[in-house]
Amino acid sequence: IKHRHPKNFLCNLWMSSLRKRNKEQQTSEVEQTEKFRWFDNDRSVNSIAKTQLDDMTTTHNQNDTTAKSTIDKFLSATSSYCANTNNIDKSLKLMSYLLWFLSKISSSNTSNGIPSNKISIGLRKLSAEISFTRYVLRFFGMPVTVDALRNPESPFSKNKTVNKIMAYSMLLYYPLEYMAYAKWKAPELVPEKVNASWCSMWSTRLWMIYIITDMIDSRKNVQTLIKEKVKMQNTKKEKGNQVVKSKELNEIVHKIKFARLHLLRCALFTLPAVHWSLPNCEVNPWLREEVLKGLTLSESICCFYQSIF
């Protein structure tokens, strides 16, 4: 048996150990590379997820801002609208007639025009109560009337003659309304000779004078605005004034629509005013309830739309 030389044996053992160590090192490097590769993948995935989450958060914040902006605009517009006493009166008028309409469609059986349904009776009570609330708001109408008589630039009309007729009719209208309201709600404070129905009848007749005068003046106003519109359309537009004239034309068109809405309101008010101006209209009504309330409901819808137009 041939024995190996000790020196060769040690060399082979060292080389074998070295190869094994290199192999383990290469394996470790491969594992480390794989580890970093998965780490990079996880980091890129997390980066994408974070970007998507940031986008979703930004979109959500934008939606919240838009919603808040819409709510703020609505609240601001509502606050400005309710700051005007006339607008509150128009809203209450619409609410009162809408409650009557709901009471009418919710009543199943009626006897002598009075609904037997409890819901209908409750809705009618609310409607009547709101109507009386509008009497309270009329206490604020007298200062406006006095100011219209003293101030040439009246809120009623630009025509001085028309303004005086409308203002004087309201100057007599309001005291009669106050007397009727007090007699209905607190008869102890009013002399027994005062007849609430008589006061209400004559206040309505004065109101009719106001409506007819307003209708005539509004019709003339519409005709004047239409002539201005036609004149502006026929005028050749200069290059430098195209934007200005277009804006003026839009304003005139808006005024015409507003005036026509006012004419429609006066027309819808005419028959109810005649009805309430007749003696004993509550006992012997000239118009049926459906016709009377239908006209006043239509006018209140038109009036409310005009107030936000």
Side-chain angles (χ1 to χ4, degrees):
I1 300 172
K2 187 179 180 179
H3 296 280
R4 294 181 180 179
H5 196 277
K7 185 178 180 180
N8 293 334
F9 176 77
L10 291 175
C11 288
N12 292 334
L13 183 62
W14 179 78
M15 291 296 294
S16 176
S17 175
L18 185 61
R19 283 195 297 268
K20 185 178 179 181
R21 187 181 300 173
N22 290 336
K23 186 176 181 180
E24 289 177 355
Q25 186 176 1
Q26 290 176 358
T27 303
S28 177
E29 289 178 355
V30 170
E31 290 177 354
Q32 192 73 12
T33 303
E34 290 293 325
K35 181 179 179 180
F36 279 112
R37 186 171 65 84
W38 283 108
F39 176 76
D40 290 339
N41 289 338
D42 291 341
R43 186 168 60 181
S44 61
V45 170
N46 291 335
S47 178
I48 294 172
K50 184 180 179 182
T51 303
Q52 292 177 348
L53 182 61
D54 291 340
D55 292 340
M56 292 174 62
T57 304
T58 303
T59 304
H60 182 69
N61 291 335
Q62 289 177 351
N63 293 335
D64 286 345
T65 303
T66 304
K68 289 181 180 178
S69 178
T70 304
I71 293 172
D72 291 339
K73 288 180 180 178
F74 173 76
L75 292 175
S76 177
T78 305
S79 300
S80 300
Y81 183 85
C82 295
N84 191 326
T85 307
N86 290 330
N87 292 337
I88 295 176
D89 181 67
K90 293 170 185 177
S91 301
L92 289 174
K93 178 171 60 174
L94 177 61
M95 192 184 302
S96 174
Y97 291 124
L98 282 177
L99 287 172
W100 169 84
F101 178 73
L102 292 175
S103 73
K104 194 66 179 177
I105 62 177
S106 63
S107 61
S108 55
N109 298 316
T110 57
S111 57
N112 296 326
I114 302 175
S116 59
N117 189 289
K118 290 183 178 180
I119 297 177
S120 296
I121 294 174
L123 291 173
R124 279 179 178 258
K125 287 181 179 179
L126 289 175
S127 176
E129 195 64 31
I130 292 174
S131 296
F132 276 114
T133 302
R134 295 183 60 215
Y135 275 90
V136 178
L137 293 177
R138 287 169 195 165
F139 283 92
F140 300 95
M142 183 61 77
V144 179
T145 303
V146 176
D147 181 63
L149 288 171
R150 294 172 57 87
N151 188 1
E153 298 179 358
S154 167
F156 296 125
S157 173
K158 294 180 180 179
N159 189 314
K160 291 184 178 180
T161 304
V162 172
N163 172 62
K164 286 184 179 181
I165 294 173
M166 297 172 72
Y168 276 116
S169 64
M170 289 292 100
L171 190 66
L172 299 174
Y173 164 85
Y174 283 115
L176 291 171
E177 287 285 278
Y178 302 156
M179 293 295 291
Y181 174 73
K183 186 67 176 180
W184 282 323
K185 287 297 184 179
E188 301 83 5
L189 302 177
V190 184
E192 294 182 359
K193 295 181 180 181
V194 175
N195 188 331
S197 298
W198 184 89
C199 292
S200 179
M201 178 186 68
W202 276 101
S203 68
T204 307
R205 292 177 180 179
L206 292 165
W207 180 49
M208 275 189 64
I209 297 173
Y210 179 94
I211 293 173
I212 295 171
T213 309
D214 192 15
M215 187 183 297
I216 295 171
D217 184 63
S218 297
R219 187 172 180 274
K220 290 182 178 179
N221 187 28
V222 170
Q223 292 176 346
T224 303
L225 289 171
I226 291 175
K227 289 179 180 179
E228 291 181 9
K229 177 187 173 183
V230 173
K231 183 179 179 180
M232 186 168 291
Q233 287 175 338
N234 294 334
T235 303
K236 293 182 179 180
K237 298 180 180 180
E238 299 177 2
K239 293 183 179 180
N241 296 331
Q242 286 183 357
V243 178
V244 176
K245 289 192 175 182
S246 178
K247 184 179 180 181
E248 292 177 354
L249 184 62
N250 291 334
E251 289 178 356
I252 291 176
V253 171
H254 184 273
K255 289 180 180 179
I256 291 172
K257 290 181 180 179
F258 188 88
R260 283 175 173 170
L261 282 172
H262 198 73
L263 270 174
L264 178 60
R265 285 183 56 206
C266 293
L268 291 170
F269 256 146
T270 303
L271 291 180
V274 173
H275 171 87
W276 289 321
S277 65
L278 297 175
N280 299 322
C281 64
E282 297 176 358
V283 180
N284 299 315
W286 180 57
L287 295 175
R288 292 177 54 191
E289 185 189 36
E290 293 79 6
V291 178
L292 177 66
K293 297 291 187 179
L295 289 170
T296 51
L297 174 60
S298 301
E299 189 280 332
S300 64
I301 294 172
C302 181
C303 179
F304 181 79
Y305 175 73
Q306 187 188 31
S307 66
I308 61 176
F309 179 68

